[in-house]
Amino acid sequence: MSAAAQARAAGGRPGFLTLLVANRLAAFGLALLALLALAALLAPLLPLAPPDITDPARRLLPPLSKGHLLGTDQLGRDLLSRLLWGTRVSIAVGLSATLVAAVAGSAIGLVAGYAGGRTDNVMMRGIDMLMAFPYILLALAIVAVLGPGLMNALYAIAIVNIPFFARNIRGVTISLAHREFVDAARLSGKGHLRILLSEVLPNVLPVIVITMSTTVGWMILETAGLSFLGLGAQPPQADLGSMLGEGRKLLFNAPHVSIIPGLMIFALVMSINLVGDGVRDVLDPRLKSGALSRPSAATAVERTHVPAMPQAPSPAALDVRDLRTEFHVGREVYKAVGGVSFALRRHECLGLVGESGSGKSVTAMSLLGLVPTPPGRIAGGRVLYRGRDLLEASQAELRTLRGGAFAYVFQDPLSTLHPLFTVGDQVAEAIRAHQPLAFRAAWKRAVELLELVRIPNAAERANAYPHQLSGGMRQRVSIAMALANDAEILVADEPTTALDVTVQAQILKLMGALQEEKGSALLFITHDFGVVSEISDRVAVMYAGRIVETGPTDEVLAAPAHPYTRKLIDCVPVLGRPERRLDAIAGLPPAVNRLPEGCAFAPRCPHAEARCRQGDIALEGFGPARAVRCIKPLGARKAEVS
Ligand code: ADP
Ligand code: MG
């Protein structure tokens, strides 16, 4: 119940417990550990014989004897009672040692990693000295100095485990110590201690917890080892190690005396390690996003709505019908794309416009199965290309299309270009992935492409690494890569958003010119109506995963029909008209896992009325070439049309 509540609170992400229990081994470990811990905790309340009372008349009774469920030991003490009391001691000592080691080791690691320089050097060489000894030998030496006893065994175990924490935490701290948010805290005048506690510590806490959960089992085992050698718990007190040590002498006459504590140590340490591994998997940031499996090479297609195949092949270069893409995270279903249809004609640029989060990128990625699964899946629709449905295509087919007939240009060229290869290498590689060319020929072609995208001095610039180029030049390189194989369909996902305005204008001009020259179809994604008006012939406006208006760009710009389009257009500043008020759209787009009934824009729409909040509102024709998903479009001329 609480796990479900947590999942809901975290926006549909499954909670810690849900994830942990989803891992079957960890769930088994957790159940076993809970059982053992409960039995140990309840030992004082259970009707057990006192653990330390000897009874020589009833020595070495076998298990299942009357009054002694697990039998008795060589002094006639009840084994079940000693076992539970001993487990209490072992768990308590193991946990305390872990805590001591974690606090001391983490403190050393944090300070060393944060301070760096000489402090780091001195502290880490000290830790290295501790690590130079085999740790069980070191523990023996420490107990030898301190004298035998449970507390001393605890200190010894804690001390020999400090290096593990110190080294782990130092490593993470070093990588955090110069991150921007720490610098920002420093600039705000915070002291070192406060920065360590409020900025660094919360970020290393998961690592501390992971290290604890994976070492606590070992610490219990090591404590048992010291007790086994007679250096830990002293008679008559029992812990699991000392019970095992005492029973060892009777291994042949009364094997149960040693086997029972042995099994208990095994069960305890195994269950703790299983839980520890599970905790690590859940807390590891790379695995945290929900599923413990990696995304596969193509989006899963599990369609519930499949439109019929058209009779005649579509004249468009790409015909998308009722495409639906969902993300299943925990129990929540995010309908990122909820039935999108558009046709992309040859020689045409279609602008896909909408606020951030409206599903534009997911639409573009769905075309070639590029949405990660899990959590994504395509739940319906068809993507028709040359009379084929790409949602039915095999992985191999998709691979030949990607970068071949379909090319993508993404928003941030710095993160899409490989930092270790020259841009010439990367363009040549894109060519060679689809054409049987020798490297020299591909390089020559790459230089031609770089010239085509107007990179000055292309032959020399081909030898530059991405970081040596400016943002605009890098985006030109990405475009050159997209053009490398004469793509029929170019998908540009906010290609100019990361660039400044003058460079943006150049890139737009270039893309428009190239698209005309090559005759490819261009799907141009942006959130900016200003950009759309520059480049696209037609626009499709997206809101909350659906297209709400489409039509020729100039007509839509001149007289938008959907109130949302109107608002988007009003967000674009006009040069030379500073008196025009820029209107931000009030409110936020709806969460796609809880879409309202009726029009998704109704809650923010100034013209909304009761009918807008009911049923499903269809995309209807509006003029000869336009369509709008609104029951009372602006400048309503709907009646004339139909
Ligand atoms: P944009 O229109 O800005 O390109 P996107 O297509 O990237 O928007 O995202 C559309 C919706 O899909 C958003 O609500 C986003 O939260 C959701 N989404 C995108 N990727 C994932 C993912 N991997 N897991 C869950 N939800 C996602
Ligand atoms: Mg996007």
Side-chain angles (χ1 to χ4, degrees):
M1 200 51 218
S2 84
Q6 268 176 10
R8 221 156 291 140
R13 253 190 197 176
F16 175 81
L17 260 185
T18 322
L19 280 179
L20 189 64
V21 172
N23 177 344
R24 237 180 274 167
L25 274 176
F28 169 72
L30 192 64
L32 185 59
L33 182 62
L35 189 76
L36 297 179
L38 196 70
L41 267 181
L42 294 182
L45 305 178
L46 295 175
L48 294 169
D52 297 336
I53 301 299
T54 56
D55 183 0
R58 302 175 63 92
R59 296 175 61 231
L60 296 181
L61 290 181
L64 302 179
S65 306
K66 187 159 174 289
H68 300 285
L69 197 57
L70 293 180
T72 57
D73 69 359
Q74 68 282 9
L75 298 176
R77 296 173 292 196
D78 181 51
L79 265 182
L80 177 63
S81 161
R82 279 179 79 72
L83 186 74
L84 294 187
W85 282 95
T87 306
R88 268 169 85 90
V89 175
S90 286
I91 294 181
V93 174
L95 279 183
S96 321
T98 310
L99 268 181
V100 174
V103 171
S106 306
I108 294 175
L110 275 171
V111 172
Y114 180 78
R118 188 170 297 166
T119 319
D120 182 29
N121 232 330
V122 168
M123 290 177 116
M124 282 302 120
R125 294 305 78 80
I127 293 294
D128 286 348
M129 269 155 57
L130 272 185
M131 286 193 101
F133 295 96
Y135 62 79
I136 204 78
L137 276 189
L138 184 61
L140 285 175
I142 296 172
V143 181
V145 172
L146 298 177
L150 205 49
M151 277 316 277
N152 293 344
L154 189 158
Y155 295 140
I157 297 297
I159 290 173
V160 300
N161 278 292
I162 284 177
F164 295 107
F165 285 92
R167 293 203 74 110
N168 261 341
I169 304 307
R170 170 181 173 267
V172 187
T173 309
I174 285 181
S175 68
L176 287 169
H178 295 288
R179 290 277 293 277
E180 291 77 358
F181 67 94
V182 178
D183 284 342
R186 227 173 260 144
L187 290 177
S188 77
K190 271 191 181 178
H192 291 308
L193 188 64
R194 279 191 55 201
I195 293 180
L196 263 182
L197 294 182
S198 66
E199 310 285 330
V200 182
L201 183 62
N203 284 294
V204 297
L205 213 53
V207 182
I208 299 179
V209 173
I210 289 169
T211 317
M212 281 176 76
S213 66
T214 46
T215 48
V216 63
W218 283 110
M219 300 226 200
I220 290 180
L221 206 57
E222 285 158 15
T223 322
L226 289 182
S227 293
F228 178 84
L229 297 173
L231 300 171
Q234 298 299 310
Q237 189 186 30
D239 83 343
L240 293 174
S242 63
M243 287 176 69
L244 192 67
E246 287 166 16
R248 181 186 47 151
K249 299 162 209 147
L250 306 160
L251 190 58
F252 293 106
N253 307 347
H256 69 278
V257 181
S258 52
I259 287 178
I260 288 170
L263 284 178
M264 183 59 129
I265 294 178
F266 173 71
L268 192 62
V269 174
M270 183 193 64
S271 63
I272 289 180
N273 283 348
L274 287 179
V275 176
D277 279 357
V279 168
R280 186 198 53 207
D281 286 353
V282 173
L283 285 186
D284 188 317
R286 277 162 300 178
L287 305 170
K288 206 175 179 176
S289 62
L292 293 173
S293 50
R294 273 180 236 153
S296 56
T299 315
V301 178
E302 288 160 29
R303 287 182 289 185
T304 46
H305 307 70
V306 188
M309 271 307 244
Q311 300 295 323
S314 161
L318 185 74
D319 196 350
V320 176
R321 304 204 171 176
D322 201 22
L323 179 69
R324 288 157 198 256
T325 307
E326 300 175 344
F327 293 96
H328 291 240
V329 181
R331 271 164 243 198
E332 299 283 327
V333 178
Y334 294 83
K335 296 193 173 158
V337 178
V340 162
S341 307
F342 61 85
L344 186 60
R345 302 182 198 135
R346 290 175 223 284
H347 303 278
E348 177 197 59
C349 173
L350 174 67
L352 195 57
V353 204
E355 261 167 300
S356 177
S358 54
K360 308 178 299 287
S361 297
V362 176
T363 304
M365 306 288 264
S366 302
L367 303 179
L368 285 188
L370 291 168
V371 176
T373 298
R377 71 171 67 151
I378 290 174
R382 286 193 187 276
V383 176
L384 301 169
Y385 167 71
R386 296 197 166 184
R388 287 266 293 125
D389 183 359
L390 293 185
L391 299 183
E392 286 162 0
S394 70
Q395 301 249 4
E397 280 177 86
L398 288 178
R399 216 164 32 236
T400 31
L401 288 176
R402 294 176 184 165
F406 279 69
Y408 283 78
V409 180
F410 292 103
Q411 177 172 348
D412 182 4
L414 191 55
S415 58
T416 44
L417 293 175
H418 196 304
L420 296 183
F421 290 100
T422 62
V423 294
D425 274 334
Q426 297 186 53
V427 180
E429 191 190 20
I431 298 170
R432 272 154 57 89
H434 293 272
Q435 297 174 37
L437 277 186
F439 185 77
R440 241 163 221 287
W443 181 274
K444 206 165 144 260
R445 176 98 184 87
V447 172
E448 286 167 21
L449 281 166
L450 293 177
E451 273 164 8
L452 184 70
V453 294
R454 328 279 197 264
I455 290 189
N457 207 353
E460 203 175 294
R461 291 318 251 165
N463 289 310
Y465 290 91
H467 68 268
Q468 296 172 316
L469 299 177
S470 68
M473 286 298 151
R474 281 197 290 262
Q475 196 57 291
R476 282 165 199 261
V477 173
S478 306
I479 295 172
M481 285 172 81
L483 296 176
N485 298 300
D486 294 322
E488 263 176 75
I489 293 161
L490 275 173
V491 180
D493 191 350
E494 314 234 15
T496 57
T497 307
L499 307 175
D500 61 64
V501 190
T502 39
V503 180
Q504 179 169 330
Q506 292 169 7
I507 295 279
L508 283 179
K509 225 166 115 192
L510 174 69
M511 288 201 81
L514 290 175
Q515 183 240 331
E516 233 154 73
E517 216 172 294
K518 298 249 168 197
S520 37
L522 175 59
L523 180 64
F524 194 96
I525 298 176
T526 176
H527 61 265
D528 185 347
F529 242 108
V531 170
V532 161
S533 59
E534 300 257 336
I535 190 165
S536 59
D537 308 307
R538 280 192 309 133
V539 285
V541 181
M542 243 182 127
Y543 188 75
R546 312 186 82 176
I547 289 180
V548 294
E549 174 162 11
T550 98
T553 308
D554 38 4
E555 283 185 39
V556 173
L557 272 178
H562 199 285
Y564 178 61
T565 317
R566 165 91 268 160
K567 289 273 181 193
L568 268 186
I569 293 174
D570 287 347
C571 289
V572 181
V574 178
L575 209 58
R577 283 187 56 197
E579 79 288 352
R580 194 169 144 258
R581 244 189 77 222
L582 284 190
D583 252 342
I585 309 179
L588 288 173
V592 282
N593 55 338
R594 245 159 274 149
L595 284 177
E597 212 196 320
C599 175
F601 188 61
R604 302 166 78 187
C605 180
H607 312 288
E609 46 185 71
R611 317 186 269 153
C612 295
R613 300 195 174 84
Q614 293 159 6
D616 191 50
I617 292 163
L619 188 67
E620 284 180 46
F622 183 81
R626 297 178 63 180
V628 61
R629 194 186 292 280
C630 181
I631 46 180
K632 36 178 243 181
L634 304 174
R637 292 171 304 175
K638 213 159 131 196
E640 297 168 26
V641 173
S642 49

